[in-house]
Amino acid sequence: MKRFLAAARIGQSPYFDRSWYVRRYLPGARPVFAALHYLREGAAAGFDPGPGFSTRGYLAAHPDVAAAGVNPLLHYERYGRAEGRELTPPLGPVARPEREGQQAAEMAVIVHAYHLEVFNELRRALEAFPEHADIYVSYPRGSKAHDEALIRANFPGAVPVAVDNLGQDVGAFLQVLERIDRRGYRVFCKLHSKMGDKLPAVWREMLLRGTVGSAARVAEFEAIFRDHPEVLLGGARELFLHGPSYLLGNAAALTGLLERAEVPPDVLESDWGFFGGTFCWLRAELVERLMACLGAGEFHPGPVQRDGQLAHAGERLPGLLAQAMGGQVALASCLDPEAPVTVLPGLPPEAPRRNIPMTELLGGLGTRWITPAVAAMAAGQAPGLGADRRYSPAARAAAPVGDYAILTPTGDRPEAFAQCLRMVATQSLQPREWIVVDDGARPLTEDIALPDWARYVRRAPGPQDPPHTLPCNVLAGLEHLSAERVLIFEDDDWYSPLYAEFLLPWLDSFDLVGLNLIRYYHLQGRAWKHGFQPAHTAFAQSGFRRGPASECLARVCRSENDELRRQGLVDRHWWHGFEGPKYLIQDHPALHLGLKGGSGRPGLASGHDRAEVDYIPDPEGAYLAGVLGPDRVYYEG
């Protein structure tokens, strides 16, 4: 009886249009049962009760209603109207871009632009697509941070498409597909503003390189989909993952979706792949098959989870369907921009048939990308070292600037600091701020002119200073930081120009990070050694996020520990004492070299005595040349 009363209340609503509902969703059915159908099945399928009320829009705008499992129109009539709840109309069809005198596009690029901080990267990626591609950029309607004007300003020439904030990027993609005229499109390219807690900058960069990369690579994908009808799917080779190993909590949902597509569930056990991160190319036939078994109306509001939601099943579904349809996949390396796009029947032979945690997988890709660049610089085959390492205001103005800070303690070694200025000024990603803390007897600024974007903090030495003043200087520097992410640059060490670019992405996932292999070189002793500390790394190659990690660092620096006061071993106590998210990067090229025996006052910690037995002689300077390459000119002689 309650169900029929509820259906009657729906039927009395001015927003319920029986004739419209039947024509759209139940052709041939009797209108008398339309309200009951919307109550029992229609709302759950994303159907709208009439042209003036959006089921998905109401649930997206009011997640508490979705969480309660209440029919949206029934809730509005019983409570929402009196509460002044927002009422959103259904989203209508989207017109194609106008192409006067031009042939209709055969390629559609669909981008979900949610995270504003990624808009610049997406816009640069879209520049690789030809003029004859139609570009649609979706954004969440009702968002205070997004509107049509913002999308038009950031993505000139694209068609803005408002969507309900349901189903993450997969739900947005399906909503756009449902509302555009898909006729004539041969291939679709799906992109989005990938974020998350697993090295999102690395993940996004690798996906963009493999899926888009350059105008030449886009043209290669376009040609493959034009000339090879057997190719159904395409994207980044290194992120085409072994589906059975990454089923996780999605097997049940995928089984149900495959049943709709009339695909036997045993395909789940085959050697199929999917693109982790959901940047991909899809042939039109695959898109139609996808939409036949998964509709945008099936996504409902709720907190984003790591796995097991319908969006995660939707991420894997194109790869499964392509496998079931006997299609092939076009794969492009995200590590080698010159490598051709290759067509394969499925997973490439080198793809691991096991579940590798994404942080480990992405970290390995970051290392594999940067290692050849580091080697090329050291061999003098690529610019970046030697004579190129100098500061100029023009170079600073032209370089990309990241939202991070560098913290450098110094004192009474201007020659070493002059080299440090080279290390900072030539980072491929420049810091927004540089905090330099000086406690030397002679102020640093009397010998060196700092750039105008550096913040000089003078901490005059005092009689109460401990033998090693690093903790005092770090404390003074922490007070002046404003950037969220911070890297330590010690003034007497060497840093690759790619150091910051490599290390910073890890701070998107962890509060404290560092390179675990510590490389030392004694300049006077002409000898080198490596240190591997399983639970910490050198302070000079650590980075942190302001918050719990910096608070722990401050506590360590304030302590009266005798080892800290005499040797300045901040790193060990900091890494051991911090219990939050931290990560020691095990696999990395030579991005930092701890230099000992240089100019200025000596350090007091391990490594400064060239007589230490674990130093390996390097009389000809071969080790130094291999790591520093052309930079060795600044340290030899």
Side-chain angles (χ1 to χ4, degrees), residues 21 26 35-47 71:
Y21 187 87
L26 306 171
L36 185 61
H37 182 275
Y38 178 70
L39 175 69
R40 297 173 60 180
E41 304 173 41
F47 296 171
N71 181 281

Side-chain angles (χ1 to χ4, degrees), residues 409-631:
T410 189
D412 287 329
R413 40 191 186 191
E415 292 183 17
F417 189 87
Q419 306 297 4
C420 185
L421 177 56
R422 296 179 189 272
M423 305 299 112
V424 173
T426 54
Q427 289 299 302
S428 59
L429 184 65
Q430 284 287 284
R432 176 162 62 83
E433 61 185 16
W434 185 17
I435 309 298
V436 178
V437 184
D438 172 30
D439 69 348
R442 177 183 173 88
L444 174 69
T445 50
E446 293 185 11
D447 299 298
I448 294 180
L450 292 175
D452 56 8
W453 49 273
R455 177 78 176 269
Y456 177 69
V457 179
R458 173 66 179 161
R459 195 192 71 80
Q464 303 302 317
D465 282 356
H468 202 298
T469 59
L470 176 63
C472 305
N473 286 358
V474 170
L475 270 176
L478 289 176
E479 298 177 3
H480 295 275
L481 293 168
S482 64
E484 185 73 16
R485 299 177 298 171
V486 185
L487 301 182
I488 307 296
F489 271 47
E490 292 202 353
D491 62 349
D492 58 345
D493 285 357
W494 175 87
Y495 293 88
S496 164
L498 299 171
Y499 177 83
E501 187 175 343
F502 176 78
L503 198 60
L504 283 169
W506 293 86
L507 288 173
D508 293 332
S509 301
F510 302 95
D511 289 349
L512 177 60
V513 299
L515 307 181
N516 204 19
L517 177 60
I518 309 173
R519 296 174 168 90
Y520 292 123
Y521 194 90
H522 203 290
L523 294 168
Q524 294 178 7
R526 306 285 283 185
W528 63 273
K529 69 174 180 175
H530 289 173
F532 179 82
Q533 302 296 341
H536 75 278
T537 188
F539 186 66
Q541 53 184 35
S542 296
F544 64 94
R545 294 182 68 91
R546 290 174 58 225
S550 60
E551 292 165 4
C552 177
L553 176 59
R555 288 194 299 271
V556 167
C557 291
R558 291 192 191 100
S559 72
E560 293 297 319
N561 182 283
D562 187 63
E563 190 177 47
L564 282 168
R565 291 176 58 83
R566 292 189 176 278
Q567 294 183 282
L569 298 179
V570 172
D571 41 22
R572 183 185 307 168
H573 293 270
W574 183 25
W575 276 90
H576 289 183
F578 180 61
E579 297 180 351
K582 57 187 176 182
Y583 196 88
L584 287 168
I585 305 168
Q586 308 296 326
D587 185 19
H588 54 85
L591 297 165
H592 166 264
L593 183 63
L595 296 171
K596 311 301 178 184
S599 59
R601 65 189 188 190
L604 302 175
S606 173
H608 288 276
D609 184 356
R610 60 180 173 178
E612 292 179 9
V613 295
D614 50 350
Y615 265 118
I616 299 173
D618 182 41
E620 304 299 324
Y623 179 90
L624 192 67
V627 174
L628 269 58
D631 268 8

Side-chain angles (χ1 to χ4, degrees), residues 272-488:
W272 60 280
F274 73 102
F275 292 105
T278 335
F279 286 43
C280 57
W281 294 80
L282 304 95
R283 184 174 292 280
E285 290 86 344
L286 178 59
V287 164
E288 296 305 316
R289 193 75 178 271
L290 171 68
M291 297 178 68
C293 58
L294 180 59
E298 298 179 64
F299 295 94
H300 299 292
V304 175
Q305 299 175 8
R306 289 179 179 267
D307 192 67
Q309 292 181 306
L310 186 58
H312 300 109
E315 179 182 21
R316 292 155 173 79
L317 189 56
L320 266 173
L321 292 175
Q323 175 82 2
M325 295 167 68
Q328 296 194 330
V329 59
L331 298 175
S333 174
C334 56
L335 298 174
D336 184 357
E338 304 302 324
V341 180
T342 55
V343 174
L344 297 171
L347 278 166
E350 77 276 5
R353 267 63 173 178
R354 60 189 177 89
N355 186 309
I356 301 175
M358 286 308 297
T359 297
E360 179 183 335
L361 176 65
L362 294 166
L365 288 178
T367 297
R368 288 170 61 191
W369 164 76
I370 209 164
T371 296
V374 170
M377 284 185 182
Q381 298 168 353
L385 302 181
D388 294 327
R389 303 206 80 172
R390 58 183 182 274
Y391 170 69
S392 74
R396 162 75 181 185
V401 177
D403 188 16
Y404 77 101
I406 287 177
L407 174 60
T408 299
T410 189
D412 287 329
R413 40 191 186 191
E415 292 183 17
F417 189 87
Q419 306 297 4
C420 185
L421 177 56
R422 296 179 189 272
M423 305 299 112
V424 173
T426 54
Q427 289 299 302
S428 59
L429 184 65
Q430 284 287 284
R432 176 162 62 83
E433 61 185 16
W434 185 17
I435 309 298
V436 178
V437 184
D438 172 30
D439 69 348
R442 177 183 173 88
L444 174 69
T445 50
E446 293 185 11
D447 299 298
I448 294 180
L450 292 175
D452 56 8
W453 49 273
R455 177 78 176 269
Y456 177 69
V457 179
R458 173 66 179 161
R459 195 192 71 80
Q464 303 302 317
D465 282 356
H468 202 298
T469 59
L470 176 63
C472 305
N473 286 358
V474 170
L475 270 176
L478 289 176
E479 298 177 3
H480 295 275
L481 293 168
S482 64
E484 185 73 16
R485 299 177 298 171
V486 185
L487 301 182
I488 307 296

